[in-house]
Amino acid sequence: MPPRVLVTGFGPFEGFPNNPSAELAKRCGARFEIVEVAYATTREFLQGLDPGRFDVLLHMGVHHKATQMHLEVLAHNQVLSRPDVRGLEIAGGQVRKGSPAIQAGTLWPSLELESFLRDEPAVLSYHAGTYLCNFIYFESLCRFPDKRVGFLHVPSENAMSLDTQEKTLTKLVRLIEGCPSAKQPAGGR
C-alpha cells in the first residue's frame, strides 16, 4: 500500500489573489488542504492534524522569484516582521522559541531524486524563506518528527505554466507514493 500523502497549498495573499500552490494542491491527485496565509490559522491547522491519517506531509507555497520548483531542504527557526493576511506578525522573529536554528526536511532524503531533478524543472534549495512557507515547514518538522515532511516552492504562473507545474508535481507525488521508506516513518512505530 502506498504511503498516505497529504498535500497543502496556501490561499491568496498580497500579490497572489490566485495562489498557484492552492490550485496545484487541488490538482495533485492526493488528499489536500488549503491553508490561510496567517500564522494563527496555520498553527491551528497543524494542531488539528491527526498524524494517524497521513504518512507524508508535502507543503507547497509560491516563490515569486522562482523559475523552477524548489525542493526546500532546510527550514529555519526564523520569521521576519511581515504581517500575514490578517495583519498579524510573529513577535521575536522565531517560529518556536527554544527550538534549533535549523531543521532538515525528512521527506527529500527518503527519495531517489537524481533522475527527477535531472528531468524536471526542479532544484534543491536550502532556505524556505522567512514568511509563512518557512513557518509551516519548520512547525511541521517540530510537530511531526516521525513523519516524512517536505516543502515545495512553486513559481508564479508567469514564470511557469500551471500545466507544466502540475505535470512535475504529479511525477513527484508518484515518486513519493512509490518510495518504500516513505511508507514507514523514521524510527518505526
Side-chain angles (χ1 to χ4, degrees):
M1 181 193 302
R4 297 162 301 164
V5 180
L6 174 60
V7 176
T8 71
F10 277 114
F13 73 108
E14 179 185 323
F16 290 93
N18 298 307
N19 193 325
S21 70
E23 184 60 33
L24 289 166
K26 294 173 188 174
R27 294 181 181 192
C28 76
R31 193 172 132 234
F32 72 91
E33 295 283 344
I34 307 303
V35 182
E36 183 181 29
V37 181
Y39 293 108
T41 53
T42 297
R43 193 169 265 144
E44 289 168 11
F45 166 74
L46 293 174
Q47 288 170 343
L49 277 182
D50 176 359
R53 298 200 60 213
F54 66 91
D55 303 307
V56 176
L57 187 54
L58 175 60
H59 296 298
M60 293 188 299
V62 65
H63 183 314
H64 72 284
K65 292 183 181 178
T67 58
Q68 301 180 70
M69 292 186 159
H70 289 205
L71 285 71
E72 299 296 349
V73 176
L74 303 174
H76 299 261
N77 191 7
Q78 173 187 20
V79 287
L80 292 183
S81 284
R82 181 176 175 195
D84 62 20
V85 296
R86 294 181 175 209
L88 302 174
E89 299 178 19
I90 292 288
Q94 291 186 313
V95 177
R96 278 184 165 225
K97 301 231 185 296
S99 291
I102 297 173
Q103 294 269 8
T106 52
L107 174 59
W108 310 129
S110 72
L111 303 176
E112 295 291 332
L113 290 172
E114 187 175 314
S115 63
F116 176 81
L117 291 170
R118 183 181 59 242
D119 298 339
E120 296 300 321
V123 295
L124 295 178
S125 174
Y126 295 88
H127 203 295
T130 55
Y131 194 43
L132 265 296
C133 292
N134 180 69
F135 179 85
I136 197 170
Y137 194 18
F138 192 90
E139 190 71 22
S140 294
L141 288 165
C142 291
R143 285 184 186 279
F144 306 112
D146 293 337
K147 301 294 180 180
R148 304 285 181 202
V149 179
F151 192 93
L152 179 67
H153 260 130
V154 301
S156 71
E157 293 178 68
N158 293 335
M160 183 187 297
S161 75
L162 271 180
D163 288 341
T164 299
Q165 292 186 57
E166 180 183 358
K167 288 175 188 171
T168 299
L169 177 60
T170 299
K171 288 178 185 176
L172 182 60
V173 170
R174 285 188 189 139
L175 181 64
I176 293 167
E177 290 174 340
C179 179
S181 62
K183 293 177 188 172
Q184 180 67 26
R189 279 208 168 182

